[in-house]
Amino acid sequence: MDKQNPAIAAKWLCLFIGIAVAVNFSGLFIPITGPDGTLYASIAKTMAQRNDFVNLSAYGKDWLDKPHFPFWVTALSFKLFGFTTWAYKLPGILFLLMGALYTYLFGKALYNKQIGLWAVLILLTAQHIVLSNNDVRAEPYLTGLIIAAVYHLHKANTNYWQLLWGCLFTACAIMTKGMFAIIPIGGAIAGHFIITRQWKQLFNLRWLIAIVLVLIFILPELYCLNQQFDLHPEKLIFDRHNVSGIRFFFWDSQFGRFFNTGPIKGNGDPTFFVHTTLWAFLPWSLLLLVAIYQFIKKGSKQIKTIEWYCICGSLLTFLLFSASKFQLPHYLNIVYPFFAIITAQYLCNLVETSSITTIRGIQTVVICLLLVVIGILHYFYQPETFTIAIGSCLFVLLIALIFLPQVITANTMSKIVLRTLLASFFINVYLNMVFYSSLLHYQSGSEAAMFINHNNPKNLPVVQLKDDYVSAMNFYSDAPVITVTEDGAGNYPPKPFILYTTKDKVNDLAAKGWKILPIKTFQRYWISRLKPSFLNKATRAKELTETEVVIVTP
């Protein structure tokens, strides 16, 4: 990382990238987080079991929300590796790592190799990127596909094969999340040409060809939607008939949420993604804000001589998402490669001693606060998964954070970046290997399913009463799960059978005369909605509900 010795710089940067990759894989075997992650895993599991890559179904019914691409990839992974946690998470992490590769290629093409490498490290240590590689949804796929599309379309002015690849990645991104995937891609390309006044490039014939190619490449998605929904107006979707899957794909899925006119609604807050970025892009978020300000300030004086891809692709998406009525923290992950390049070019080009001193102070405060937060979390949460091996690993990382930067380089900025990286490694190793490993024990659906898998020698049918937590049981159960309504109405298998539900519901059924044999009790909490009273072990019990696995006998 020392500019005076580029050979050592490349070697150390590659080593730290390797560690960052390992940290992003550290959540590979931690159970899938519900309700969304386990729902998506269950849909892909059903797809693989039925060998039906056309219809998406959940809870035995047609499912219309996300497009097919991530389910196709996950179902293929399940067919290769079985229905396991890591087989679900692996494709998403690999697509994110593909995004890291393209972040390097794009940063190198726009600036130089060092900025490309720094951008990769910033991307792979951004807090919500690591979190999303544990809680895998559509975003890791989308993050990799969007930056890949932008890179190839940027290169397409000299090579039409690049245009083909750019359109293929664009189409896959659309088949992952919907038409809004075009915004960061089109915003990056068109924004650069508009700001630099390259009108011939903006209205070049190749973009018409690109539109045609993208439409051709998304035909598999349109075919599936037509087969499942448009050809079957009698199906009841969103509590109504005559629902068009193709219309939902092109409009309601994304624009309907944006304008709050679709079947899935939300309540938008214009400042939501501002405060989300402040924590989700840690430990780089404050530097990102400075980098964006400095980029726009300097860029306004040399508009035609710098690149505007990253700032346009990220800020246009940021502004549109902020104006949307449906907002979730992970939505912004798709522009983090752009944010990483913007931040990296600022740090690599910084030479003013006063600015470097200020940044050193900012990052020292950020690192100390993050470590203190982890210490407080550990003190109050008291995870049972903290082992000597993990403690030793964390101790080594902490010692490295204090002393290693001094050994590697004399360059002040390099020391700052190294310490920030090591702090991120420490924090995320703790979160994945200690905190989340413990937290997932309170996702009782997956815990109960794994218990039943090992304690059902007679292969009794498995039944659960439906509530907001059922997808974890659906995915992790080896046996087919029959889900009945909350009031206990439904088609039950012949007795005896295994029943999983809350303890209150078990008591209600027993009061109605059911013959019930209790087997095991679990503690349950909605782990994606953490509250201080749950995180504090002293007050945790009042936040928990009890669930039970029982045998219903004749």
Side-chain angles (χ1 to χ4, degrees):
M1 300 183 74
D2 194 331
K3 294 181 179 179
Q4 285 75 37
N5 197 334
I8 294 177
K11 179 175 69 176
W12 282 107
L13 284 173
C14 289
L15 172 63
F16 275 83
I17 288 173
I19 298 172
V21 170
V23 171
N24 277 273
F25 270 105
S26 63
L28 186 65
F29 299 101
I30 298 171
I32 303 164
T33 304
D36 287 351
T38 48
L39 170 62
Y40 301 157
S42 299
I43 292 170
K45 179 182 179 180
T46 302
M47 179 182 282
Q49 288 175 325
R50 296 178 178 176
N51 286 311
D52 181 359
F53 289 80
V54 173
N55 297 288
L56 297 178
S57 62
Y59 316 123
K61 298 180 180 179
D62 293 286
W63 189 78
L64 182 60
D65 188 358
K66 301 291 187 296
H68 284 66
F69 182 79
F71 300 109
W72 288 332
V73 175
T74 307
L76 178 60
S77 179
F78 284 154
K79 281 189 165 292
L80 291 173
F81 306 117
F83 300 114
T84 61
T85 294
W86 69 268
Y88 170 76
K89 293 186 179 184
L90 179 65
I93 298 174
L94 292 178
F95 268 84
L96 189 279
L97 294 181
M98 181 187 78
L101 172 62
Y102 275 104
T103 299
Y104 164 72
L105 293 174
F106 199 39
K108 180 182 177 183
L110 297 178
Y111 296 99
N112 55 50
K113 180 179 179 179
Q114 187 184 49
I115 289 176
L117 291 173
W118 281 36
V120 170
L121 282 166
I122 292 171
L123 174 67
L124 292 179
T125 52
Q127 190 56 47
H128 214 292
I129 290 294
V130 184
L131 176 61
S132 293
N133 282 334
N134 179 15
D135 181 15
V136 174
R137 306 186 194 186
E139 277 60 39
Y141 295 91
L142 204 57
T143 303
L145 292 167
I146 284 176
I147 190 63
V150 172
Y151 171 77
H152 285 291
L153 293 176
H154 161 66
K155 292 285 189 179
N157 61 333
T158 57
N159 188 330
Y160 272 82
W161 284 109
Q162 298 281 0
L163 182 69
L164 183 68
W165 280 108
C167 294
L168 180 60
F169 282 121
T170 299
C172 290
I174 293 172
M175 292 190 293
T176 296
K177 194 69 172 180
M179 298 305 295
F180 261 31
I182 296 175
I183 291 173
I185 299 171
I189 301 298
H192 174 79
F193 291 147
I194 290 172
I195 291 176
T196 57
R197 298 188 179 93
Q198 298 184 56
W199 307 116
K200 290 184 178 179
Q201 292 287 352
L202 183 64
F203 296 104
N204 193 287
L205 176 63
R206 67 177 177 272
W207 304 123
L208 180 60
I209 298 172
I211 293 172
V212 174
L213 286 173
V214 170
L215 289 173
I216 291 172
F217 289 146
I218 66 171
L219 285 177
E221 177 66 32
L222 300 182
Y223 170 80
C224 292
L225 292 170
N226 185 65
Q227 288 293 113
Q228 185 173 5
F229 299 103
D230 292 68
L231 293 180
H232 297 280
E234 76 281 1
K235 289 184 175 181
L236 187 66
I237 312 295
F238 302 124
D239 297 322
R240 57 190 177 91
H241 298 285
N242 295 300
V243 172
S244 168
I246 294 177
R247 173 189 161 82
F248 183 85
F249 174 71
F250 279 111
W251 184 260
D252 290 332
S253 174
Q254 302 290 296
F255 296 99
R257 293 188 185 190
F258 181 84
F259 295 111
N260 224 29
T261 58
I264 302 174
K265 294 179 169 61
N267 298 302
D269 173 8
T271 66
F272 178 82
F273 288 111
V274 175
H275 52 76
T276 294
T277 303
L278 288 176
W279 71 261
F281 203 67
L282 283 170
W284 310 100
S285 50
L286 296 180
L287 297 184
L288 169 67
L289 298 179
V290 176
I292 291 174
Y293 171 77
Q294 292 295 338
F295 184 93
I296 295 175
K297 179 182 177 181
K298 294 179 180 179
S300 62
K301 300 175 182 177
Q302 41 184 331
I303 290 177
K304 293 186 177 181
T305 59
I306 64 172
E307 65 87 12
W308 292 91
Y309 296 100
C310 296
I311 207 78
C312 290
S314 58
L315 291 192
L316 176 62
T317 306
F318 186 96
L319 292 173
L320 284 175
F321 281 5
S322 295
S324 171
K325 297 297 183 182
F326 199 92
Q327 301 166 333
L328 291 170
H330 52 268
Y331 282 6
L332 213 58
N333 285 28
I334 61 177
V335 299
Y336 284 1
F338 300 132
F339 281 170
I341 294 173
I342 293 169
T343 307
Q345 62 82 28
Y346 170 70
L347 295 176
C348 283
N349 292 323
L350 198 61
V351 294
E352 295 89 351
T353 303
S354 58
S355 297
I356 293 174
T357 301
T358 301
I359 287 176
R360 181 173 61 185
I362 290 173
Q363 289 307 97
T364 300
V365 171
V366 169
I367 290 169
C368 290
L369 286 176
L370 289 174
L371 295 177
V372 168
V373 168
I374 291 297
I376 293 172
L377 175 64
H378 184 77
Y379 176 80
F380 283 100
Y381 186 79
Q382 299 181 34
E384 72 283 0
T385 50
F386 189 81
T387 64
I388 294 176
I390 295 172
S392 300
C393 178
L394 292 172
F395 179 74
V396 169
L397 286 172
L398 190 61
I399 294 300
L401 188 158
I402 297 170
F403 297 108
L404 188 60
Q406 295 290 124
V407 176
I408 293 177
T409 180
N411 183 284
T412 302
M413 182 56 69
S414 297
K415 291 178 184 177
I416 296 168
V417 173
L418 279 173
R419 284 205 170 90
T420 306
L421 293 172
L422 287 162
S424 175
F425 297 158
F426 178 93
I427 290 162
N428 285 294
V429 167
Y430 177 85
L431 289 176
N432 278 346
M433 303 306 294
V434 180
F435 177 68
Y436 286 114
S437 182
S438 171
L439 182 65
L440 265 295
H441 289 312
Y442 293 98
Q443 182 172 273
S444 63
S446 52
E447 293 290 300
M450 289 184 274
F451 171 81
I452 295 170
N453 293 341
H454 293 92
N455 295 275
N456 187 14
K458 296 182 179 180
N459 294 318
L460 298 178
V462 179
V463 179
Q464 67 175 340
L465 268 62
K466 186 174 183 180
D467 59 17
D468 293 331
Y469 302 82
V470 298
S471 58
M473 171 66 78
N474 287 344
F475 176 73
Y476 279 103
S477 174
D478 291 340
V481 179
I482 300 168
T483 303
V484 298
T485 60
E486 286 187 79
D487 59 5
N491 296 319
Y492 290 92
K495 299 174 183 177
F497 60 82
I498 292 176
L499 175 67
Y500 166 73
T501 187
T502 62
K503 190 170 184 177
D504 290 343
K505 296 288 178 60
V506 170
N507 293 337
D508 291 343
L509 294 174
K512 293 178 181 179
W514 288 40
K515 302 293 185 180
I516 290 175
L517 175 64
I519 302 297
K520 190 172 178 62
T521 301
F522 300 87
Q523 302 294 322
R524 184 174 74 174
Y525 182 77
W526 190 300
I527 59 173
S528 60
R529 298 179 180 178
L530 299 177
K531 296 194 297 185
S533 54
F534 168 78
L535 294 175
N536 185 353
K537 187 174 182 178
T539 57
R540 187 174 305 150
K542 67 179 183 180
E543 297 293 334
L544 302 176
T545 58
E546 286 191 332
T547 61
E548 281 192 317
V549 171
V550 301
I551 295 179
V552 178
T553 59

